[in-house]
Amino acid sequence: MAATLTLGIQASCALTLFPVISKYFMMALEPISSAISAFMNKKFDDRTLVVGLDWPFMGGANEIWLAVFWAIPVTLVFSMFLPGNEILPFAGIVNNAIAVAAFLVTGGNIIRMLILVTLFAPAYLWVGTIMAPFISDLARSTGAVALKAGELISCSSIDGPIQTYAFSHVFKIMDGNFLPLVLCVIFVVCFIALYKYLGKEEAEGREIN
C-alpha cells in the first residue's frame, strides 16, 4: 500500500512539473531560434528560412497539455478493456505525441484535438503490444533491463505508431499478412498528396505577394 501511494505521488509530481519544464525549454530556445532565423534570412534575401526545433518548442501551448492530460485516463481505460492489448502504460503515458500532431492539424481546436487523441489511443497500445517481443529481445541482448522469464517490456507512446508498424512489418506479406503493406501504400499516397498540397499553397502565396 505504501509503495502504491509513493508511486502515485511521484507520478503526480511528474505530471505537474512536465509542462512547466517544457515552458522553460520553450522560453530558452525561442531567442536562439529567432536570432538564427534573422541571421540566415539576411544572408538569403530571396527566401524565408525557419529554424526547425523539436516539439517542446510549442510547450507553451496550453491546448497541447490539455490534450495530453486528457489522453492519460483515456489510455488507461483503453488499456484495461481494449481487445488485443497487453500493455499497462505508465512511464511514457505523458508522451502522447499525437497531441502535437493534432494541435498542428486542427490549428489548436481543442475539441477536435481531444477527438483525435481518443481515436488514436488504441493504435499506440496495439502497436506497443506488437513491438513488445522485439523491444524485450533488444533489452535482453544489450543487458539494459533485467527481465525475468516470460516478462516483456514495450512503449505505449511510440512516435508514429501506425507508420512504425507498417514499415517494420511490411515483409510479413510473406506470412500472408497484407495489412502492413496496405498501410504503407496509404501512408505514401497521403504523404505525396500532402506534399503537393503544401507546394500548391506555397506557390499561391508567392503569386499573391
Side-chain angles (χ1 to χ4, degrees):
M1 183 65 178
T4 303
L5 290 174
T6 301
L7 183 61
I9 293 173
Q10 291 173 342
S12 300
C13 290
L15 293 175
T16 302
L17 292 175
F18 202 88
V20 176
I21 294 173
S22 295
K23 286 188 177 182
Y24 287 149
F25 271 112
M26 184 238 348
M27 294 169 62
L29 292 173
E30 196 278 333
I32 299 174
S33 173
S34 299
I36 296 176
S37 296
F39 174 79
M40 295 302 294
N41 285 323
K42 288 181 181 179
K43 299 294 182 179
F44 299 91
D45 295 332
D46 59 332
R47 68 190 69 179
T48 300
L49 301 178
V50 179
V51 177
L53 296 173
D54 203 356
W55 79 263
F57 183 69
M58 297 184 294
N62 293 327
E63 295 89 347
I64 290 179
W65 293 111
L66 181 58
V68 168
F69 290 146
W70 166 263
I72 293 172
V74 168
T75 304
L76 286 174
V77 170
F78 271 122
S79 70
M80 291 185 287
F81 301 105
L82 187 66
N85 172 61
E86 297 181 7
I87 292 181
L88 180 60
F90 181 74
I93 197 169
V94 76
N95 185 28
N96 195 316
I98 188 61
V100 180
F103 177 80
L104 297 174
V105 170
T106 65
N109 184 304
I110 190 60
I111 300 300
R112 294 178 181 178
M113 288 177 66
L114 297 182
I115 293 174
L116 286 174
V117 167
T118 303
L119 292 177
F120 272 84
Y124 283 92
L125 295 173
W126 278 326
V127 174
T129 299
I130 293 171
M131 299 298 293
F134 306 102
I135 296 175
S136 301
D137 288 343
L138 179 62
R140 290 192 182 94
S141 63
T142 58
V145 180
L147 297 176
K148 298 178 182 178
E151 283 187 339
L152 296 174
I153 60 172
S154 188
C155 177
S156 62
S157 56
I158 296 175
D159 289 346
I162 298 176
Q163 299 96 299
T164 299
Y165 166 72
F167 287 100
S168 64
H169 287 69
V170 66
F171 293 108
K172 288 292 184 178
I173 187 175
M174 306 299 294
D175 300 328
N177 184 4
F178 291 90
L179 180 59
L181 178 61
V182 172
L183 292 175
C184 282
V185 172
I186 294 174
F187 175 80
V188 171
V189 171
C190 291
F191 180 85
I192 294 174
L194 178 62
Y195 180 81
K196 290 183 177 180
Y197 172 76
L198 294 177
K200 182 180 179 181
E201 278 200 337
E202 183 179 354
E204 290 177 353
R206 288 178 180 176
E207 289 179 0
I208 293 174
N209 293 332

